């Protein structure tokens, strides 16, 4: 079983919280099928399920055969989802940085570091990834996405999208699995990361 606490190590310069110990035991607001989401950790989803965070205006899709292990999609501490066989996990959390925090400079520096980590084979992929539409009242996020190699995994191989919105909220969206299972799991992991959109 993938332990959510062990997946919550720092990726770059910002620490990640221990999601397994501090998240609230409450569901988010799902849409689509199923319309009634089971309590966290109790039942797998029969069909792909979309979750939305109302305040920060983002959503993502969890595949059929997964369950919500813990957490609250509406909280800053985030939520933990796992495939029913516990072979893959998806977690996210967010936190508001101070107004003076230089998000564009942070993204640029983190992407530079990620490109260097590709050179030393700690990452398989690294790219700039922005999202949302730049318009009044609509979040626009700036960020970067990385895919870890087995060498850089530290025990769990991950695909991570880190980004900032117009209010300087920092977001970390992460899928993870054991290195021995990564090749088989990679497409499903990427599918979840690709499903994350800001409205």
């Amino acid at each position: 079983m993938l332990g959510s606490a062990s997946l919550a190590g720092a990726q770059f310069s910002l620490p990640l919280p221990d999601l397994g110990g501090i998240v609230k035991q409450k569901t988010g607001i799902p849409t689509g099928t199923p319309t009634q989401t089971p309590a966290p950790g109790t039942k797998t989803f029969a069909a792909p399920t979309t979750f939305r965070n109302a305040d920060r205006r983002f959503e993502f899709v969890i595949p059929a055969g997964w369950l919500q292990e813990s957490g609250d999609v509406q909280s800053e501490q985030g939520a933990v989802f796992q495939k029913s066989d516990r072979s893959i996990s998806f977690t996210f959390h967010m936190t508001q940085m101070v107004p003076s925090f230089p998000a564009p400079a942070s993204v640029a520096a983190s992407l530079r570091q990620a490109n260097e980590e590709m050179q030393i084979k700690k990452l398989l992929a690294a790219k700039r990834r922005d999202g949302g539409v730049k318009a009044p009242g609509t979040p626009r996020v700036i960020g970067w996405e990385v895919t870890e190699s087995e060498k850089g995994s530290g025990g769990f191989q991950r695909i991570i999208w880190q980004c900032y919105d117009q209010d300087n909220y920092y977001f970390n969206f992460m899928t993870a699995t054991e290195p021995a299972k990564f090749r088989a799991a990679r497409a499903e992991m990427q599918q979840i990361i690709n499903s994350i959109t800001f409205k």
Side-chain angles (χ1 to χ4, degrees), residues 12-192:
F12 293 104
S13 59
L14 296 172
L16 306 181
D18 177 355
L19 294 177
I22 63 174
V23 290
K24 299 172 186 173
Q25 299 297 312
K26 188 169 114 181
T27 62
I29 301 175
T31 61
T33 303
T35 55
Q36 297 296 320
T37 303
T42 62
K43 190 174 181 182
T44 60
F45 302 127
T49 303
T50 300
F51 287 84
R52 290 191 176 99
N53 178 284
D55 290 339
R56 303 319 312 159
R57 297 173 61 187
F58 66 86
E59 64 183 40
F60 54 88
V61 180
I62 298 298
W66 282 59
L67 55 83
Q68 184 174 352
E69 185 71 28
S70 62
D72 182 351
V73 173
Q74 303 307 313
S75 76
E76 290 193 10
Q77 289 78 30
V80 178
F81 297 84
Q82 295 203 34
K83 196 166 183 175
S84 59
D85 65 2
R86 303 302 201 264
S87 62
I88 313 171
S89 71
F90 169 67
T91 65
F92 78 90
H93 81 278
M94 56 190 153
T95 188
Q96 189 171 23
M97 310 302 289
V98 297
S100 63
F101 182 80
S106 174
V107 171
S110 297
L111 189 55
R112 279 196 303 273
Q113 178 178 327
N115 285 327
E116 290 186 16
E117 289 184 334
M118 282 185 64
Q119 294 174 17
I120 60 173
K121 310 299 185 193
K122 285 191 172 184
L123 295 177
L124 297 174
K127 66 179 182 179
R128 177 73 183 251
R129 179 177 170 186
D130 298 340
V133 177
K134 190 174 183 180
T138 302
R140 180 185 185 278
V141 299
I142 58 172
W144 70 105
E145 180 183 313
V146 298
T147 303
E148 292 178 327
S149 68
E150 183 173 357
K151 176 182 177 181
S153 69
F156 292 101
Q157 212 162 336
R158 306 176 295 180
I159 302 175
I160 309 166
W161 182 27
Q162 297 177 85
C163 56
Y164 301 91
D165 73 6
Q166 80 284 355
D167 295 322
N168 255 358
Y169 267 84
Y170 163 76
F171 302 85
N172 182 297
F173 300 98
M174 176 176 63
T175 57
T177 191
E178 296 171 6
K181 299 176 181 177
F182 181 76
R183 184 174 298 216
R186 185 174 183 176
E188 189 170 15
M189 294 167 68
Q190 190 68 59
Q191 175 187 341
I192 295 170

